[in-house]
Amino acid sequence: MSQALDEIKIGGLGASRKRVEDNRFIRGKGNYTDDITLPGMLHMEILRSPLAHARIVSIDASKAWDIPGVHLVLTGEMMATRNLAWMPTLSYDTQAVLATDKVRFQGQEVACVIADDPYIAKDACEAIEVEYEALPVVVNPEQAVAEGAPVIRDDKENQQDNVIFDWEVGDAAGTDRAFEQADVISKLKLHYPRCHPSPIECCASIADFNRATSKLTVYMTTQAPHIIRAAVALVAELPEHMIRIISPDIGGGFGNKVPVYPGYVCSILASILLERPVKWIEDKTGNLISTGFARDIYLDGEMALRRDGKILAVRMHCDSDHGAFFSDAQPSKFKIGLLHSAFAAYDIPVAHLSDRGTYTNKAPGGVAYRCSFRVTEAMFFQERMMQAAADDLGMDQAEFRRMNFVQDDQFPHRTPFGFLTDSGQYGKCLEVGLKAIGYEDFRRQQAEARKRGRLLGLGISTMTEPLGAGNSREYDILGIKMFDSADLKVHMTGKAIVRTGAKTQGQGHETTWAQIVAHELGIPAEDIVVEEGDTDTAPFGMGTYASRSTPVAGAAVAMVSRKIRAKARKLAAHLLEVSEEDVEWELGRFYIRSAPDRGVTIQECAMAAYSNMPDGMEPGLENTAYYDPPNLTWPFAVYIVTVEVDPETGVWDVLNTVAVDDCGVRINPMIVEGQIMGGLTEAYAMASMQFITFDADGNCIGSNYMDYLLPTAWETPGFELHSEVVTPCPHHPIGAKGIGECAAVGGPAAFVNAVIDALSGTGVRNIDMPLLPDRVWEAITHRRDVSGGPPVRSDD
Ligand code: MCN
Ligand code: CUM
């Protein structure tokens, strides 16, 4: 006589529950860092370097100090007296907080002014006189390693050149042998330009040091509050228990809010010195010119092929441009992020990958942007290479991928670079996508249109992304293992609060974590509140990036719910006066196996935990789980795009976009679809319009929204999403895989492949992103590749 609850009705697994956080966001009641005003608060502004590479001869701040309302001027020299002129980065490098010896990129932080209001602070910045002696500038990896290149990081004792690392993975000798056996060798060289995560809210912090309590509270826009607490404890040598980091609402992160930035450090020091709250709100140019950039990598590779289409081996070399400081947030063991996740979905016997990282006079780059570290570059190269190889073989694009996929019965599969993928239905996803786009039909239309001079194209891209860093055997950041956590407290009336070590920036955790608890315990989702981002209350966790929240923190939410259920079972047995073994569970209720209509609800168990527990039982119903995942999760996706290119102007329009995402079990299908649409929008932006570039003097071009373009609803094409392929993750407690970045990772290659496909027969193999109309026009008109470096827009 089951009385089981309807899981969808209580907002459990699979319910497209409306996002609870939107109640406040759409009413304008969000609480962002800039909304917070503390009594006695001062304001900080940063003076940035106008030059990309220069020796600092002198800094004279006397005029700034004289301006009424100025409380403090911080310079590198003052920071140095407290050992804070430099700070360690997340990649075992160092980064200048405020420049002392040299400036190394345009926009670098040189001084800070703290004043009564931000306008006074800004004026005072302009009153600081800095004398620079310009130095030769390096703006790409080629210049960085050229004879006689200036050594950018002459601050580092053993640094005699601009090379940060030479990293390799795979089997070089085996790959050489495989290439000797090849019938066809296909080659491709491309550049993935610098992109910027560009959240609508810029970075911000309010540091509040209270001398009386010795407590430092910092409100800030960080995606990883506990990491920041640890960093402040270690760098500023403050006791960790006296530091409280609070991430309130965040207006988009996209990876931009993972690193530690000089502005945070300066506002903290200023608050300690002045004993007043100090607020720093970065402006848009400051954000675009100085905070973590992504990509900026030159990829050069080749594929060894058998005539029948079987891939025998892959060889890749990358030159990655990290800017002036190597400040990537990435697992310590992998110097190239997870670039070696390339080709994980294809059954390739042997491969070799090398990467040389270099310093240049550009803002620190290499931070991920909606990407599990450097997976985006990996998948982009992979799918561009797949298209080039199929073309070289004269094979059908879909057939070439299908025959080389890791097949469903080959899991677990060891990829050529050592990852272990565990599940997927790659062929099925492709079939769904081809059917949806009307593949055969489109190919016919394309041939017809071609006869009339119209250029239609179809691009396929697939991606499998290692999400959920990560199992502690392999993943750490600065030695700290990458598990995550959840803390669940069930109150006596059966309502509950769950906290995790993750931090939502728009992904909807407040909605979805409650759904996981609802699924595990039968408590309606609306009775569960989710809280994240306060280090004084949340359990320790590594934060939200690399779509790790569902794979790691979300798993912890399921595990802690199960701990609660185990205790509730004891309480149920006590209330029903039977032994625990005689108690059965159905959603939200325990009952006696032999008498199913005699049962108690989870809410009754909760009350008993506070009012009627068995002798010897610890009161209360709360617990914490720390979750160390056994492996990454491996979502898979197929994106197919059709375009029409205007041969006269190079303008291209998207006709259709089909997305088939398999992220395992979907907690909230509507939120998952939102993530996919957002990711595809960013993919389209990267492919069609976005880049940040630098002229020969290192001037950043793209430091405002006139040059750096964000697509609006007007430019963004429509997307058709498919959810019919579901391969549950075999090791995740509820079978979910990450989804937050998949479409941004796999999407760009689909758009680019479509345009290149439209140009087939012209001999054009590559146009580097962004595919601006003038570049496409140049390729069509001169029948040549347009690749190499970023386009430089300059006045001369
Ligand atoms: N989800 C689900 N079912 C699944 C997988 C996920 O319902 N099988 C839900 C999750 O519960 C969560 C959302 O989808 O509400 C995204 O989950 P997940 O894939 O775990 O990713 P994270 O929560 O870790 O988010 C990080 C990811 C990253 S790294 C970037 S960058 C990015 C992205 O999310 N930044 C974003 N999406 C963003 N979306 C918004 N609105 N704002 C950002 O800054
Ligand atoms: Cu990779 S950008 Mo997200 O990992 O925050």
Side-chain angles (χ1 to χ4, degrees):
M1 209 189 299
S2 172
Q3 301 170 5
L5 295 166
D6 180 335
E7 174 150 13
I8 299 297
K9 282 198 185 135
I10 65 163
L13 213 55
S16 281
R17 199 179 166 225
K18 283 193 183 152
R19 291 169 27 119
V20 295
E21 42 270 84
D22 289 350
N23 270 330
R24 60 178 191 281
F25 293 151
I26 60 177
R27 288 181 164 91
K29 296 283 184 196
N31 184 38
Y32 300 91
T33 303
D34 201 16
D35 291 322
I36 297 167
T37 299
L38 300 177
M41 190 170 79
L42 300 171
H43 299 264
M44 184 181 102
E45 289 288 329
I46 297 175
L47 174 70
R48 301 181 179 281
S49 167
L51 299 177
H53 201 194
R55 198 160 298 289
I56 296 179
V57 180
S58 64
I59 301 181
D60 180 358
S62 51
K63 287 193 184 126
W65 277 105
D66 286 345
I67 294 176
V70 168
H71 292 255
L72 180 67
V73 182
L74 283 176
T75 59
E77 206 181 321
M78 287 171 69
M79 300 298 284
T81 63
R82 295 178 177 257
N83 212 10
L84 283 175
W86 292 82
M87 63 180 177
T89 71
L90 296 173
S91 287
Y92 293 100
D93 194 4
T94 48
Q95 175 173 358
V97 178
L98 293 180
T100 46
D101 53 339
K102 290 202 303 190
V103 287
R104 292 176 171 82
F105 66 90
Q106 186 186 54
Q108 189 180 333
E109 300 80 357
V110 175
C112 290
V113 176
I114 294 88
D116 283 335
D117 69 44
Y119 308 101
I120 298 174
K122 195 103 196 161
D123 287 346
C125 280
E126 278 166 25
I128 300 172
E129 287 162 9
V130 187
E131 193 188 327
Y132 296 103
E133 178 193 313
L135 295 168
V137 172
V138 168
V139 293
N140 59 43
E142 199 184 329
Q143 291 175 357
V145 298
E147 248 334 275
V151 177
I152 296 168
R153 295 300 303 277
D154 51 357
D155 56 291
K156 293 174 78 174
E157 221 169 275
N158 297 317
Q159 186 78 38
Q160 259 105 44
D161 55 24
N162 293 316
V163 176
I164 308 172
F165 59 80
D166 261 307
W167 205 79
E168 62 171 328
V169 59
D171 174 359
T175 304
D176 289 347
R177 283 194 298 277
F179 269 83
E180 282 161 24
Q181 308 297 316
D183 295 327
V184 175
I185 293 176
S186 191
K187 294 175 191 283
L188 187 69
K189 226 173 149 159
L190 49 85
H191 178 245
Y192 202 133
R194 267 193 174 217
C195 310
H196 194 281
S198 193
I200 297 298
E201 181 198 24
C202 300
C203 295
S205 57
I206 305 172
D208 181 15
F209 179 69
N210 183 329
R211 176 72 62 200
T213 60
S214 300
K215 185 129 184 174
L216 171 70
T217 305
V218 190
Y219 300 85
M220 62 193 292
T221 48
T222 179
Q223 298 178 218
H226 283 97
I227 309 248
I228 297 282
R229 185 181 67 184
V232 173
L234 297 171
V235 177
E237 293 180 6
L238 293 171
E240 198 173 352
H241 65 304
M242 286 294 158
I243 305 167
R244 179 179 186 188
I245 306 295
I246 302 174
S247 271
D249 286 332
I250 296 184
F254 303 107
N256 190 211
K257 291 164 181 167
V258 177
V260 181
Y261 294 117
Y264 299 158
V265 180
C266 293
S267 65
I268 290 171
L269 180 64
S271 179
I272 291 172
L273 293 176
L274 296 168
E275 298 184 20
R276 285 177 66 174
V278 174
K279 182 187 239 182
W280 168 60
I281 303 289
E282 183 181 57
D283 62 20
K284 197 46 89 182
T285 296
N287 181 269
L288 282 167
I289 205 170
S290 74
T291 62
F293 292 89
R295 333 291 192 234
D296 209 346
I297 186 166
Y298 294 79
L299 296 137
D300 185 355
E302 49 190 346
M303 194 174 248
L305 298 150
R306 214 164 59 194
R307 171 78 43 217
D308 65 1
K310 169 80 187 130
I311 304 170
L312 302 175
V314 176
R315 195 186 270 141
M316 275 170 80
H317 176 74
C318 319
D319 272 301
S320 48
D321 181 336
H322 290 266
F325 307 106
F326 182 33
S327 61
D328 291 22
Q330 62 182 357
S332 308
K333 289 191 183 67
F334 306 112
K335 282 280 182 225
I336 47 171
L338 301 181
L339 198 79
H340 56 312
S341 60
F343 298 99
Y346 297 104
D347 182 18
I348 297 176
V350 62
H352 183 254
L353 163 66
S354 57
D355 179 42
R356 184 174 58 192
T358 47
Y359 290 119
T360 57
N361 291 117
K362 289 148 80 172
V367 68
Y369 157 27
R370 208 161 191 177
C371 153
S372 197
F373 311 108
R374 280 189 179 271
V375 176
T376 310
E377 294 93 314
M379 292 306 136
F380 184 74
F381 184 81
Q382 166 189 304
E383 289 304 309
R384 293 283 299 112
M385 184 79 243
M386 289 301 286
Q387 165 150 321
D391 281 347
D392 289 345
L393 286 165
M395 263 184 89
D396 175 74
Q397 289 295 332
E399 178 53 26
F400 178 58
R401 286 176 170 83
R402 192 184 292 121
M403 76 171 280
N404 283 292
F405 274 152
V406 174
Q407 305 298 315
D408 299 359
D409 58 5
Q410 281 179 287
F411 293 107
H413 175 78
R414 188 63 73 179
T415 77
F417 297 122
F419 288 99
L420 194 70
T421 55
D422 52 28
S423 58
Q425 302 176 67
Y426 303 163
K428 189 171 167 194
C429 288
L430 182 62
E431 288 327 305
V432 171
L434 294 174
K435 186 157 170 254
I437 204 87
Y439 188 63
E440 304 298 335
D441 245 22
F442 186 85
R443 288 294 186 208
R444 266 193 299 278
Q445 278 176 37
Q446 185 181 22
E448 279 299 309
R450 185 57 70 91
K451 287 183 204 148
R452 285 176 278 116
R454 284 177 58 206
L455 302 178
L456 301 187
L458 181 145
I460 301 176
S461 173
T462 76
M463 73 99 231
T464 180
E465 198 187 356
L467 290 184
N471 61 74
S472 68
R473 274 171 287 114
E474 287 173 299
Y475 296 89
D476 68 85
I477 288 185
L478 297 179
I480 305 166
K481 309 240 183 209
M482 296 195 73
F483 55 85
D484 223 287
S485 58
D487 178 279
L488 177 58
K489 292 183 167 58
V490 183
H491 311 314
M492 66 176 80
T493 57
K495 316 285 181 193
I497 178 164
V498 61
R499 295 186 172 98
T500 82
K503 174 60 204 170
T504 189
Q505 315 124 42
Q507 294 89 344
H509 296 178
E510 288 170 52
T511 308
T512 48
W513 296 164
Q515 293 185 249
I516 296 175
V517 179
H519 167 70
E520 294 290 338
L521 290 178
I523 298 176
E526 63 188 32
D527 289 350
I528 301 149
V529 66
V530 175
E531 196 183 275
E532 291 181 335
D534 182 343
T535 56
D536 265 11
T537 54
F540 182 90
M542 295 295 269
T544 288
Y545 41 85
S547 301
R548 63 188 298 282
S549 305
T550 301
V552 196
V557 173
M559 297 314 271
V560 75
S561 302
R562 291 175 191 182
K563 286 188 183 180
I564 296 287
R565 197 164 76 205
K567 182 167 180 183
R569 177 186 294 275
K570 291 189 200 308
L571 286 157
H574 171 67
L575 292 174
L576 294 166
E577 298 177 324
V578 293
S579 77
E580 228 188 293
E581 293 71 52
D582 296 329
V583 171
E584 287 285 333
W585 168 254
E586 64 184 359
L587 192 65
R589 179 176 177 267
F590 293 101
Y591 60 90
I592 301 172
R593 186 176 306 117
S594 55
D597 54 344
R598 281 193 54 213
V600 286
T601 63
I602 187 79
Q603 288 81 2
E604 288 166 322
C605 295
M607 184 56 85
Y610 295 85
S611 61
N612 178 17
M613 52 279 181
D615 284 348
M617 180 188 271
E618 188 182 341
L621 194 56
E622 49 187 73
N623 220 317
T624 305
Y626 285 87
Y627 189 76
D628 183 5
N631 192 8
L632 299 159
T633 71
W634 293 88
F636 180 77
V638 171
Y639 304 112
I640 306 180
V641 170
T642 53
V643 297
E644 172 151 16
V645 181
D646 180 345
E648 306 292 328
T649 61
V651 170
W652 51 280
D653 289 315
V654 176
L655 304 173
N656 277 307
T657 302
V658 164
V660 186
D661 277 271
D662 177 3
C663 60
V665 174
R666 296 183 177 198
I667 303 162
N668 183 320
M670 183 189 67
I671 285 185
V672 168
E673 295 204 339
Q675 288 292 315
I676 296 166
M677 287 187 199
L680 284 172
T681 306
E682 289 176 315
Y684 172 68
M686 287 181 259
S688 65
M689 62 180 84
Q690 277 176 350
F691 67 99
I692 279 188
T693 188
F694 296 81
D695 70 11
D697 297 326
N699 294 311
C700 176
I701 295 150
S703 58
N704 60 69
Y705 281 158
M706 296 297 284
D707 292 323
Y708 192 72
L709 306 178
L710 296 191
T712 66
W714 177 257
E715 294 87 16
T716 306
F719 309 123
E720 180 185 319
L721 310 186
H722 286 262
S723 57
E724 49 267 63
V725 189
V726 178
T727 317
C729 173
H731 59 76
H732 187 280
I734 55 167
K737 304 179 181 185
I739 188 65
E741 306 147 312
C742 296
V745 168
F751 292 101
V752 176
N753 281 349
V755 174
I756 300 297
D757 184 62
L759 306 191
S760 61
T762 61
V764 173
R765 282 169 69 86
N766 185 50
I767 303 173
D768 275 336
M769 291 195 291
L771 273 65
L772 304 170
D774 55 332
R775 310 185 104 200
V776 177
W777 178 86
E778 182 186 335
I780 295 171
T781 308
H782 301 290
R783 296 184 160 250
R784 67 173 179 228
D785 288 2
V786 181
S787 40
V792 177
R793 288 188 190 137
S794 69
D795 298 331
D796 43 58

